[in-house]
Structure formats: C-alpha cells, structure tokens
Amino acid sequence: MQIKSIEVHGLWSYREPVTIDLTGLPLVVGVGDNGAGKSMLLIEAPLVAFYGRFPSKTVAESITTGATSGKVTVVFGIGDATYRVSRTYPRKGSGTGQVHVADDTAKSGWRAISDPGHRATDAAILNLLGMNYETATMTWAAEQGKYGRFASAQPIERFKLLATVFDLDKYGPMAAAAKRRFDEATATVTRIDGRIAELTETLDGPVSEEGDEPEDQDGQDLFARLRKLSDDDLHWKAQSLDKEIDRVTVSIADLASSDPTRKAHEARQARDLVRNDRQSKHAAADGQRQRAEMALEQARTRGASARAAADQQFQAAVDGGRQRAIATKNQAAQIRQDVANALARIEAAERDLPTLSANVEVYRQAAAEGRENADRLHDVATAHTATYSAHKASYEGMKAEVAEARERIDILRRTSESGDHATCFSCQQHLTAGDAQKLIEAQEAAIVVLQQRMDEARTAAVAAKEQAAEYDGYRQQQLAAVQQNDDAASQQARAVSDAEALIASRAERETSDARAVEMMTEAGREEAAVLATATQTHTDAMAAAASAEAAAVREAQAELDAAAPVVAATALPSDEETALEHAVTAAEALAASELAQVDSAREELNEERAGLREEASRYAAEAARRSEAVSQRAALEERLTDIRRDRGVAVVDRDLHDQLRAAYSPAGIPAMVLAGIMESLNEAVNASLERLSKGQLTVSIRTTRETAKGAAQNQVTVYVETPEAGLLPYESLSGGQKFRVDVAIRIGLAEVIARGTGSPIETFLLDEGWGTLDESGITNMVETLFRLSEEVNLITVSHIGAVQDAFPSRVEVSMSGAVSSAQVIRS
C-alpha cells in the first residue's frame, strides 16, 4: 500500500478543502507551527480514511466548528492498481464511506468495489491491506508518543499484541469451546459410571420376588412349595390342574341338564315367544294406524300451505311489477324535468355568451396595460437604486480617506512626541515640529471637508433609496392590479368555455327527453304482462296443490283401513298363549319341590372348581414371575452393554477435547506459531535496524520462557545487543536507541505480515518522535530514513528545525484565523 494523495474538508481546522499530492515523493516531512494541523493532515487523516477511527478526538470534536459535515479521502496504490477510500461524517447521523478502484471504462474514472457504508468500507480495506486498525498502528502508522507500542509493552501484553497481529485470537474461542466440551464429556462419563454401578449392583443381587404372599396358612404353604419346584414340575402340575378343572366343569354341566328349574324355564320361554309375537304385531299395527292418521293431517296441512304460498307469490309478483313500473315512470319523469331545466340553462347561456366573450378581451387589455406601467416603474426604481449605490460607494471611499488621515495624524504626533522631530508618513523624511503641526492641521481640515461631503453623500443616498422604494411600491401595486385582471380574464374565459359546452349539449338533452317518453310507455306494457303471467301461475299452483292433497289423503286412508283389524285382533291373549301360561304354572310348582337338592350339589361342585382355579392361578403366577425375571435380567444386561458403549464414546470425546483444549491454549498452537514466526520477524527487524543503527544494534525477540518452577509463561521479551553494554532488555535502552528499535520493529512486523497477506506496506507514517534524539542522532536518523526511502515511502511530522531543514520535500501547514491550509514543496 502506497499513499498517493490526501484530501481533507470540514475536519479539525481544515474548513476549506485541502488536497496534498504525494505522488513521486518517497520522503516527506510535515512542517508548521504547533497546533497548525500537521499531524491531523498527515497522520490522523489516513487513519480516519482507512479505518474510520479518530485517534485523538471524537467525531463531533473533529468536525470543523460551523461545518455541517467533514470528509476525508485518500488515494493509494497496491501493485499496479489505484484505489480511493472516502468517508463522510455529518454532524448528525452516522455518515458513510466507500472504496473505489480506478477504471478507465467507467464514466467518472472510478468503479465502486464496496457498498456504501462504514461497515462495507471497513471490510473492503481489511481485504485489501490485510490489516485492521490495531495492526496498522503497531506497524506503518506510528502516532505521537506511541512509537514503542509493541516494544514498551509488558511481556504478556507483547504476546497478546502479536497474537492479535497474526490472527491468533481465533484460538481463544476455540480453546473455550474445547474446554466446555471437555467439561460436558467429563460430566457425561461421571454420570454413566454411576448408572453402570447401579445396574451392576442390581444384576449381582438376588432376583426380586414380585407379588404379595397369601394371608392364609394353606396359601403360604402352597407359595413356599411353588418356589421349590423346578420349571418342568411346575409346568406338569399346572396341566394336571387344568384337567381337574375341566372335569368339575363337565359335572356342573351334567347337573344343570337335570335341573328341574330348566323345564319351568323352557315353559316360560315358549309362553314368552307366543306373547312377544302377539305384542310385536299389535305394536306394529298400532304404529301403522298412528302414522296413517298423522299422514292425513299432514296432507291437509300441506295443501293449505301450498294454497297460501300460491296466493303470496301471486300478490308479490303483482306488487313487484307495479312497483317497477312506478319506479321506471318516476325515473322517466325526473329525466324529463332535468332536460327541461338544462334547456332553460342553454337558452340563458346563448344570451350571455357574447357579453362573457367581450369581458375576456376587456380584462386582458387592462392586464397588458398594467404590465407596461409596471415595467416603466421598474426602470425608474432601478435608476434610483443605481444612484443610491453610487452615493454609498462615494461615502465608503471618503470614510476610508478619513481613517487614513487620522492614521497619518497619529503617526505624526507619535513620532514627534518621541523626539525633537517627526517622520513624514509619505516619504519617511524627518520633519520639524512646526512642519509636523502644519501637516496635522492640513489633515484635520481635510477631515472636516471629507465629513461634510460624507454627510451630503449619506443624505443623497438616503433620498435615492427612498425614491427607489417608493417607485418599487407603485410597481407592486400595478403588478397586483395585473394579477387581478388576469384572474378575472381567466374566470370569464372559463365561463365562456362552460357556456359553449352547455350549448353544445342541446341535441343530447332533446334525445334524453324522447327516451324518457319511451320509458314511460314501455313501463305500462311490462306491468300488464307481469299481471297476466302472475294470474296464470297462480291458477296452475292452486290446481297442483289440490291434486297433491287428494292423492296423499287417499294413500293415508288406505293405510288406516289396513291397520284397524290387526290392532283389534292382537289386543287380547290367544288360546295358545293361555294354554302355555297354564304349563308354566305347573312346571314352576314341580321345580320348587326338587330345587333344594340340586342347589346343594351345584354349590359343592362350584366350590371345588373355585379351589382348583385358585391353585392353578398360583402356578400360572409363579410361571409368569419366573419368565418376567428372565426377561428383566436380559434387558438389564443389554442396557448395561449399551451404557458401557456410550461410556467409551464419552471417554474418547473427553480425551479428544482435553487435547484440543491444550492445543488451542496460549501455550499450545499460538505459542508454536509465534515461535515459528520469530525467526522471520527477527530477521526482518534486524535488516531494518542494521540500516537505522549502522550495524551497532541487534534485536532478539523471544517467546514463552521457562519460569523457575518449569512452567511455561506466554510472554514475549525484547533484548538488544549494544556495543557498549552487551545484551540489554529493551527497557534499559537510551531514548535514541529505543527510537531506532521501535521504527525497526514496526518495519519488520509490516514486512512479515505482508508476506502472509500479499499486500506490501510501501508507506510509513511517523508522527514526531524526534525529540528523544540528540543532534548526531537526528543526523544519523535522517540519513537512515533517506536510505529506507529507497524501499518505502516515509511521511513524518516534526517541529524541530534541524529535522525540517534536512528533508528536501515538505508539506507546509499554516493557520490563519483558526483555518488551516497546506501546500507541497517539492525538491
């Protein structure tokens, strides 16, 4: 990156636009009085343009007092391409910026390579230079008092600065993420270990015996025996019990087949079958009768409703036709009335049209005459204004002559009071006191004459100004009358246009009246047609309703006639039903005498079957328990296998992120990367320092030293080999030595960074810093910078005369009335 020009407008003390062209100047010094704005123009302006950062003041403080906004533009080159970065800062709002590249095909010669806005500009600059603000101010931009930003920092801070410069900060979040993942994996392993211990304890313990033991002694004895049986014995015994249960069930069935109550039950079933048949037929016939009666009623109701609906439709059709006819006739009558009114207005317009046309011409003629009068009055007012300006100029000239005469009098009196003679204000010759007094009196007389003439000029100017104002007032009155006449002419012209349009509509109005007459005739015909149609529709609807009612009544009456005999026949029990009722009574009497004996035998068999079923359920429960225990153990063993596999995965994850945590920590990859960079950095720094110190100083930058306890600390130390005292830490150097080392480190860092970014830094900004050097040091430093300028461009600022005189090319900055300006002086 090589800076070619800098432009500032509305920032700091640069109220007016200032542009300095640095093309072809490898070594430039900014000179001027303190506070004139040297550093602002040559050091801070490029930083504001490139990074939008104001190093010494806020944005609001940097905008020039009274200016609404400030702007800075820097043109720079990278390789064969030329770029321009601009930023604008309004007093209110956030401002904007943009980066362009020189392009001959573009109309303006520049093509935008970033979107407008500070963020887009920041991203484009970072992409082009490969450096952010922090890196720039550590390398190619040395602000006043911050030359040793890297070397004078604490060892730990140096490590952090290098980490920032070489993008090693990215490893911090990565180390934190690895630490977080390591903690999560460790917690997972701990949780899984606890679960494995629980499952192992469960599998190693006795198999649980689920289920409650029976409360009675017999049940407890059976429960104990079941626990001692083998699986085969348990299965054989369960099958034997199932066979015994089947035997008892068959005995109960046999007893039921001989049960005396069964015959009584069968007699009741036969009776109920006949009774239910009769009752269902009676209910069906009665339902048919009720439905027929309801159908008769509904038929008569529907007939009445249909007739009423036909009447309503007839009346609605007649009313609708009549209302439409009335509406059409009313509409036609309104149209005829509107036509009559319009024709009356047309006749009035025909009468008024000649008068309106004449009025237009009258008003337009009056307006034209008013404009001519206004132009004449304007000429008169302009002449008086010119007279006023002439008298005013004469007055100001005489006023200046009075001031000059008084100054001469003052010179004569001041010089005569300091000696025995005075000095002539014109030829600078010595005058006697008498001659001086005569000159004073002559000047005083001239002042009196000039003041009289000034009064006359003032009076004449006032009179001319009043005359100009008076005639301008007359002109304004004429212009107001012209406007009134123009408005009246326009109004009359619109009235003429409206009248002509109204007269032209006569034929259309007469046609509308004829259509309205036809509408009234057509409405009468439509009303008669609607009445005829509605009458025929009503007649047809009434006939259809009567026919439908008669058919429905016949159908319902037939249903009613068919249901009446069935209802009467099924109302009372039949002979068969009465005989079956007597049979039921006899069977129930016989069953009562034998029921007690059969019930006793059935109860004994039921009790035996219940006991067998309870014993069988015990055997089944024991078998189910044993099967469930086997399944549970298999499930636990399978779960334990899965959990152990999960633990293996978690351990691998924990160990991996433990390694990543160590690798991403400052003592890991960042330290390794910096150690690899140190050789290149020391080589680049010492190559510059060789020229800056004429081979007397050598820098050694080291990283990550070992502590007394053997622990690594992430520090960067700077040692310098000197001819007088040997190897010294940077902090022990003299001011001049530190200055040279600081500049060399900045150049070396920029060179190493450029190797990675591909964008070499070809301009360095050095703000002051010369105050630490003695006279010989300044001479040596200037010689060194001249040699460095063969490789890179150097822009420095200094208020020291010896430094200013040593540079052939200068940017001279001056200030007048709190406003700075600058010009480039080339060798």
Side-chain angles (χ1 to χ4, degrees):
M1 181 277 295
Q2 186 178 87
I3 296 177
K4 296 186 176 183
S5 68
I6 303 171
E7 179 183 353
V8 178
H9 180 201
L11 287 175
W12 305 297
S13 56
Y14 294 94
R15 181 181 300 278
E16 303 299 329
V18 172
T19 302
I20 56 171
D21 184 2
L22 304 176
T23 305
L25 299 180
L27 188 57
V28 179
V29 62
V31 301
D33 296 336
N34 287 336
K38 303 184 296 296
S39 297
M40 299 299 184
L41 177 64
L42 296 174
I43 308 299
E44 294 202 13
L47 292 175
V48 172
F50 283 118
Y51 300 109
R53 299 283 290 271
F54 289 78
S56 62
K57 295 183 178 181
T58 65
V59 176
E61 293 171 339
S62 299
I63 297 176
T64 306
T65 302
T68 58
S69 65
K71 182 179 181 180
V72 59
T73 300
V74 171
V75 176
F76 60 99
I78 298 178
D80 296 332
T82 300
Y83 299 89
R84 182 183 71 189
V85 56
S86 301
R87 293 184 191 259
T88 301
Y89 293 91
R91 190 167 294 279
K92 294 182 179 180
S94 58
T96 187
Q98 197 164 23
V99 181
H100 293 76
V101 63
D103 188 346
D104 294 337
T105 63
K107 184 176 181 180
S108 64
W110 296 94
R111 173 172 50 84
I113 61 172
S114 75
D115 293 333
H118 288 308
R119 290 187 178 179
T121 302
D122 294 342
I125 290 297
L126 183 61
N127 182 59
L128 288 172
L129 303 187
M131 294 186 184
N132 58 16
Y133 174 79
E134 300 298 330
T135 304
T137 54
M138 201 187 306
T139 54
W140 59 271
E143 302 169 87
Q144 185 175 358
K146 298 181 181 180
Y147 273 61
R149 183 182 175 194
F150 173 79
S152 62
Q154 294 298 315
I156 294 178
E157 291 300 319
R158 292 185 191 129
F159 183 92
K160 293 180 179 178
L161 289 172
L162 286 181
T164 300
V165 168
F166 294 106
D167 197 25
L168 301 182
D169 290 340
K170 64 183 179 182
Y171 291 103
M174 296 169 68
K179 172 65 167 57
R180 185 170 58 255
R181 291 290 301 275
F182 169 77
D183 293 341
E184 293 173 355
T186 300
T188 301
V189 171
T190 302
R191 177 176 53 79
I192 291 176
D193 285 341
R195 183 58 179 152
I196 289 175
E198 292 177 359
L199 292 176
T200 302
E201 181 180 356
T202 301
L203 287 172
D204 293 342
V207 178
S208 61
E209 297 180 353
E210 298 180 357
D212 296 332
E213 294 187 4
E215 298 180 358
D216 59 284
Q217 186 61 42
D218 292 339
Q220 292 176 1
D221 292 343
L222 175 61
F223 188 80
R225 290 197 305 273
L226 291 178
R227 293 291 187 268
K228 297 177 181 179
L229 291 176
S230 64
D231 291 344
D232 292 340
D233 291 341
L234 185 66
H235 179 68
W236 176 82
K237 185 61 176 176
Q239 287 183 336
S240 299
L241 285 172
D242 288 340
K243 291 178 181 180
E244 284 297 311
I245 291 171
D246 292 341
R247 178 186 60 77
V248 175
T249 300
V250 170
S251 298
I252 292 173
D254 292 341
L255 183 62
S257 64
S258 62
D259 187 358
T261 59
R262 183 173 60 82
K263 294 180 180 180
H265 178 67
E266 291 174 351
R268 283 194 296 272
Q269 284 181 331
R271 181 204 59 190
D272 292 342
L273 183 61
V274 173
R275 178 183 293 172
N276 291 339
D277 180 63
R278 175 183 63 80
Q279 290 177 346
S280 67
K281 290 179 179 179
H282 180 78
D286 191 57
Q288 182 180 359
R289 177 186 60 79
Q290 293 177 3
R291 287 192 297 275
E293 292 174 349
M294 185 179 296
L296 281 171
E297 183 62 27
Q298 290 175 348
R300 296 188 179 97
T301 301
R302 284 196 297 271
S305 298
R307 288 188 292 273
D311 291 339
Q312 291 177 355
Q313 291 175 356
F314 172 77
Q315 190 60 46
V318 171
D319 291 343
R322 181 178 295 111
Q323 290 174 359
R324 286 193 297 274
I326 292 172
T328 301
K329 291 176 181 178
N330 289 339
Q331 182 182 2
Q334 183 61 48
I335 291 173
R336 297 201 70 191
Q337 181 61 45
D338 293 341
V339 168
N341 294 337
L343 291 175
R345 291 195 300 273
I346 289 171
E347 293 175 356
E350 290 173 340
R351 292 192 303 272
D352 297 340
L353 183 58
T355 302
L356 293 173
S357 300
N359 289 341
V360 170
E361 293 302 323
V362 170
Y363 285 123
R364 286 177 177 172
Q365 181 63 33
E369 293 174 356
R371 288 190 184 89
E372 293 177 358
N373 292 335
D375 291 340
R376 287 194 295 272
L377 291 170
H378 175 70
D379 294 339
V380 175
T382 301
H384 284 294
T385 300
T387 301
Y388 162 76
S389 299
H391 286 307
K392 182 179 180 182
S394 176
Y395 173 84
E396 293 295 335
M398 289 184 288
K399 182 178 179 181
E401 291 180 13
V402 169
E404 184 177 355
R406 287 174 175 168
E407 183 178 357
R408 292 170 180 173
I409 292 171
D410 182 65
I411 291 173
L412 291 170
R413 287 176 175 171
R414 188 171 60 251
T415 56
S416 62
E417 289 174 356
S418 61
D420 57 356
H421 61 270
T423 300
C424 178
F425 53 77
S426 175
C427 62
Q428 306 299 316
Q429 298 296 321
H430 293 305
L431 300 173
T432 64
D435 292 337
Q437 182 60 35
K438 290 179 180 179
L439 283 176
I440 291 173
E441 292 174 352
Q443 291 297 316
E444 289 176 342
I447 288 174
V448 171
V449 173
L450 287 171
Q451 287 177 337
Q452 291 174 351
R453 293 172 59 193
M454 285 171 62
D455 292 339
E456 294 171 356
R458 185 188 303 110
T459 302
V462 170
K465 186 175 183 180
E466 290 175 350
Q467 287 292 321
E470 180 179 1
Y471 280 99
D472 188 66
Y474 294 152
R475 175 175 175 270
Q476 294 300 325
Q477 292 174 3
Q478 286 294 322
L479 290 176
V482 167
Q483 184 63 45
Q484 291 177 356
N485 287 322
D486 282 339
D487 293 343
S490 298
Q491 182 180 2
Q492 292 295 310
R494 287 194 297 270
V496 168
S497 177
D498 293 342
E500 290 174 344
L502 185 60
I503 293 168
S505 67
R506 176 187 290 276
E508 181 182 354
R509 298 296 184 180
E510 291 173 347
T511 300
S512 297
D513 185 65
R515 283 201 302 270
V517 173
E518 179 62 27
M519 284 172 60
M520 297 179 72
T521 304
E522 182 64 25
R525 288 196 296 267
E526 289 181 0
E527 182 179 6
V530 167
L531 179 59
T533 301
T535 301
Q536 183 61 45
T537 301
H538 178 261
T539 301
D540 294 342
M542 295 295 281
S547 176
E549 181 180 359
V553 168
R554 286 194 300 272
E555 183 179 351
Q557 189 61 50
E559 288 288 328
L560 185 59
D561 294 341
V566 177
V567 171
T570 57
L572 299 174
S574 63
D575 294 340
E576 182 183 6
E577 184 180 347
T578 300
L580 289 173
E581 182 67 34
H582 293 318
V584 169
T585 301
E588 288 177 347
L590 179 62
S593 62
E594 299 177 356
L595 184 60
Q597 182 179 359
V598 174
D599 286 344
S600 176
R602 183 187 297 110
E603 184 177 356
E604 291 178 0
L605 290 172
N606 284 331
E607 289 178 357
E608 181 181 2
R609 184 171 63 175
L612 291 171
R613 284 177 173 174
E614 182 177 359
E615 186 176 359
S617 67
R618 296 290 185 184
Y619 280 91
E622 176 63 16
R625 186 194 65 77
R626 292 184 183 185
S627 177
E628 179 65 21
V630 171
S631 299
Q632 288 181 355
R633 186 174 186 85
L636 289 175
E637 290 176 347
E638 183 179 357
R639 177 61 179 154
L640 183 59
T641 300
D642 293 341
I643 290 178
R644 284 173 175 164
R645 183 170 57 251
D646 293 343
R647 184 184 187 279
V649 174
V651 168
V652 171
D653 191 42
R654 179 195 62 188
D655 295 344
L656 171 63
H657 286 93
D658 189 26
Q659 295 173 6
L660 291 175
R661 179 185 59 175
Y664 294 147
S665 68
I669 294 176
M672 295 172 60
V673 172
L674 283 181
I677 293 172
M678 283 302 101
E679 182 177 354
S680 299
L681 180 59
N682 279 304
E683 179 183 348
V685 171
N686 284 315
S688 298
L689 192 58
E690 172 76 20
R691 297 188 294 270
L692 293 173
S693 66
K694 294 184 177 181
Q696 294 183 352
L697 301 177
T698 303
V699 167
S700 176
I701 303 175
R702 306 172 185 175
T703 62
T704 314
R705 65 177 178 82
E706 296 290 329
T707 66
K709 297 182 180 180
Q713 291 185 342
N714 296 304
Q715 299 181 347
V716 174
T717 56
V718 179
Y719 292 94
V720 181
E721 184 73 34
T722 65
E724 300 87 1
L727 189 66
L728 294 175
Y730 170 84
E731 292 76 12
S732 300
L733 299 177
S734 67
Q737 291 172 327
K738 287 182 177 179
F739 181 75
R740 294 178 178 85
V741 171
D742 292 339
V743 174
I745 288 177
R746 286 178 172 273
I747 295 174
L749 279 172
E751 181 178 341
V752 172
I753 294 171
R755 294 174 189 172
T757 62
S759 298
I761 300 300
E762 298 177 296
T763 297
F764 279 79
L765 309 179
L766 307 176
D767 189 7
E768 295 290 355
W770 300 82
T772 59
L773 303 178
D774 55 18
E775 183 176 352
S776 62
I778 291 174
T779 302
N780 293 334
M781 194 63 185
V782 170
E783 293 176 357
T784 300
L785 293 183
F786 268 86
R787 289 195 295 273
L788 286 176
S789 68
E790 297 174 359
E791 303 174 10
V792 296
N793 289 0
L794 296 172
I795 300 174
T796 187
V797 173
S798 179
H799 65 281
I800 299 175
V803 177
Q804 298 176 358
D805 296 338
F807 287 85
S809 298
R810 304 186 303 280
V811 175
E812 293 185 351
V813 180
S814 59
M815 177 179 284
S816 175
V819 177
S820 295
S821 60
Q823 61 176 338
V824 178
I825 306 299
R826 296 175 179 265
S827 58

